Amino acid sequence: MTRIETLAVHAGREDFIALGVHAPPIDLSTTYPVTDLDVGTASFDALVGGAASAANPIYARLHNPTVGRVEKAMATLEATEACVAYGSGMAALTAVLLDARSRGGHVLVVRPLYGTADHLLASGLCGLEAEFVEAGDIAARRRADTALVIIETPANPTLDLVDIAAVVAAAGDVPVLVDSTFATPVLQQPARLGAAYVLHSATKFLGGHGDVMAGIVCCSEARARGLRVVRAATGALLHPFGAYLLHRGLPTLALRVERAQANAIVLAARLAEHPAVAKVHFPGLGTVRNAHLVGSQMAGPGSLIAFELVAGYDAAAAVMSLVRLMTPAVSLGSVDTLIQHPAGLTHRVVDPAAREANGIGPALLRLSVGIEQVEDLWADLRQALDAVRLSAAA
Ligand SMILES: *Cc1c(COP(=O)(O)O)cnc(C)c1O
């Protein structure tokens, strides 16, 4: 079996030698000439009905070869038959929700999860009733009209882990969607554990350089057909240039994930020792729910760290303005280190009571560790934490 590091370099590029190219061609056509109407009609029917490709792409909302290439690559990396790409992670989740309506009107969701995903589900905007439950209650809360179970592991922003295989068993014949954005296929492949849908905000690690917004869903070909029908009808497309950038990021995915993770392991341990820090949430320190899954479900702890400041909100806000090398910004999974305040930014849209109940408080910061030299990162973080501690002591 070819390993993930090798697959990441070569997936979606299998036809390059035959084509006589070394980089993916970018096809920017919005329409395609139809010189044989019978072929055109058959292609149109196939694509609108959810086929992955057809003899003629017809129109860019139905199919784009550059997007198709990165979809093929991601299906390979997640060990699924198919992958469907969208213009953002939220567009990808929306498509799965709209498609799920044909199976029923109820979804079970385990908190915490990405702020806007929580908001989309709680708002009922997609016409589904979302019930928020503990992972252990899924079997009991399943209903005849339950169309989907949604989990995120590691969860944003607390880094709690959810046992994918246990959730799949509890869900029975209800498909399970795993948002695997924080893990990437380098650390975890949820489809191998029975997840029906693997979702990524490809804006994060997969793109990896902070310059492309994209979302992908990896699943069986049968499920992908339903998603393509929704995409063709709603138009939540990934632009071919975005698809090119996404594909360009993949060969270094494993290197980036490994380096960022190695940095995070060092930083998490040092943060835990710093007197300005009250608590560190990091799967590698055993300080999150289900941390025992590191080493089995998840190959390593990843490179996201959440930590709470002793001196509360003011200290958290101060750290964000004191860092010089790290970028104080939302998003994650970029080559550079990002630091942000979940309660004030990414999880602003979550119901305040749910935020509180899930430990997303005023003192919490989330760090997305990049691939810089770790001592430079620590020097930056330490000077900010030392300054916060001195001002608290004064
Ligand atoms: C960012 C993010 C999303 C949403 O993706 P966008 O590309 O921003 O639309 C969903 N889930 C997780 C875990 C995320 O971090």
Side-chain angles (χ1 to χ4, degrees), residues 30-48:
T30 55
T31 191
Y32 294 85
V34 177
T35 52
D36 181 323
L37 185 56
D38 289 341
V39 171
T41 303
S43 296
F44 186 89
D45 283 348
L47 293 170
V48 169

Side-chain angles (χ1 to χ4, degrees), residues 269-302:
R270 292 189 189 173
L271 277 169
E273 301 279 295
H274 197 284
V277 176
K279 182 167 184 203
V280 179
H281 306 251
F282 183 62
L285 289 180
T287 50
V288 302
R289 245 191 277 176
N290 290 315
H292 67 275
L293 294 169
V294 175
S296 50
Q297 169 173 297
M298 198 171 162

Side-chain angles (χ1 to χ4, degrees), residues 88-90 114 152 156 179 181-182 201 203-204 213-214 332:
S88 71
M90 291 314 302
Y114 181 67
E152 185 174 302
N156 191 346
D179 185 331
T181 298
F182 277 27
S201 168
T203 312
K204 315 295 168 54
M213 288 213 75
L332 58 107

Side-chain angles (χ1 to χ4, degrees), residues 53-147:
S53 61
N56 188 321
I58 305 292
Y59 187 59
R61 182 156 39 70
L62 307 182
H63 180 72
N64 175 275
T66 310
V67 176
R69 217 172 244 299
V70 77
E71 288 175 335
K72 189 160 182 263
M74 281 311 304
T76 303
L77 298 191
E78 284 293 358
T80 55
E81 286 173 353
C83 168
V84 187
Y86 298 87
S88 71
M90 291 314 302
L93 179 60
T94 300
V96 178
L97 294 177
L98 293 177
D99 177 62
R101 292 179 59 168
S102 62
R103 292 191 300 271
H106 178 242
V107 291
L108 288 170
V109 187
V110 177
R111 274 176 167 148
L113 68 162
Y114 181 67
T116 305
D118 189 304
H119 171 63
L120 177 67
L121 290 157
S123 69
L125 203 58
C126 290
L128 290 158
E129 176 200 345
E131 184 180 350
F132 294 93
V133 293
E134 295 292 323
D137 293 336
I138 287 170
R141 302 302 266 279
R142 223 171 70 204
R143 307 195 317 217
D145 66 338
T146 305

